[in-house]
Amino acid sequence: MDTPLETSRLVLRPFTAADAEQLIALHNDAEVMRYLNGGKPVPRERILGETLPRFVRGDFLAAVEKASGGFVGWFHLRPPEGGPADELELGYRLHRAAWGKGYATEGSLALIDHAFGELGARRVFAQTMAVNLGSRRVMEKCGMRFVRTFFEDWPDPIEGAEQGEVEYELRPEDRHPASP
């Protein structure tokens, strides 16, 4: 997405090189990374050399709070590698200071609207660890329904991996007309 997308409290805009320090801080918060890599620090060099360039050229959006102008995290909406272009994966990662404020739901709903309204998606889905109840609640608040539990073969499993991963989805015909 080349142009910003706005919600009542957020601006979702393309990443730039100027977002480097915020991305480094986000990806090095042990609690933020708990369900992704077990909370291990991500080397600065990897973020600058791999993650940020991928975010700048890809379908990742920096989430900025309108009121303060502060970086709260990021969202993505993209087809999975090798998957159909009309099935889009929704993802997000927010600073702990933004947790519990409804930003994940607000940004996700805006991207879901964009997926169905502008991009012609036939399905939006999201995945997380089964034990990540916060992300699961966001998916449910967005109207997504549980599809399956599955198990990945992780080389270095983290706590909770034994309970598997879950997938939720939403299709245009399943949306409630009153979705914000």
Side-chain angles (χ1 to χ4, degrees), residues 50-145:
E50 297 172 26
T51 307
L52 183 60
R54 184 170 39 104
F55 279 29
V56 167
R57 60 173 193 271
D59 299 311
F60 290 80
L61 299 167
V64 177
E65 186 180 53
K66 282 183 179 179
S68 69
F71 177 89
V72 297
W74 58 258
F75 289 84
H76 75 66
L77 181 68
R78 61 188 179 159
E81 191 172 319
D86 61 352
E87 291 193 11
L88 302 175
E89 181 180 19
L90 173 69
Y92 43 84
R93 190 168 304 162
L94 302 178
H95 278 294
R96 273 190 286 164
W99 293 1
K101 295 182 178 181
Y103 289 138
T105 302
E106 187 174 322
S108 294
L109 285 170
L111 286 171
I112 289 168
D113 286 345
H114 181 71
F116 293 134
E118 315 290 322
L119 303 177
R122 71 179 173 92
R123 175 178 184 254
V124 173
F125 71 96
Q127 298 175 338
T128 190
M129 289 182 70
V131 295
N132 188 345
L133 300 180
S135 278
R136 293 181 74 168
R137 275 194 297 277
V138 168
M139 294 172 200
E140 291 165 358
K141 286 180 184 179
C142 290
M144 300 177 102
R145 67 175 182 82

Side-chain angles (χ1 to χ4, degrees), residues 35-36 80 89 125-130 148-158 160-167:
Y35 297 117
L36 299 159
E89 181 180 19
F125 71 96
Q127 298 175 338
T128 190
M129 289 182 70
R148 67 185 178 124
T149 299
F150 61 99
F151 294 86
E152 296 281 348
D153 186 21
W154 298 107
D156 189 18
I158 61 175
E162 70 282 355
Q163 293 183 41
E165 307 282 322
V166 293
E167 180 173 305

Side-chain angles (χ1 to χ4, degrees), residues 14-20 23-24 27 43-60 78:
F15 265 88
T16 69
D19 296 314
L23 193 59
I24 290 166
H27 286 207
R44 178 181 186 85
E45 302 76 36
R46 183 171 355 144
I47 293 170
L48 294 175
E50 297 172 26
T51 307
L52 183 60
R54 184 170 39 104
F55 279 29
V56 167
R57 60 173 193 271
D59 299 311
F60 290 80
R78 61 188 179 159

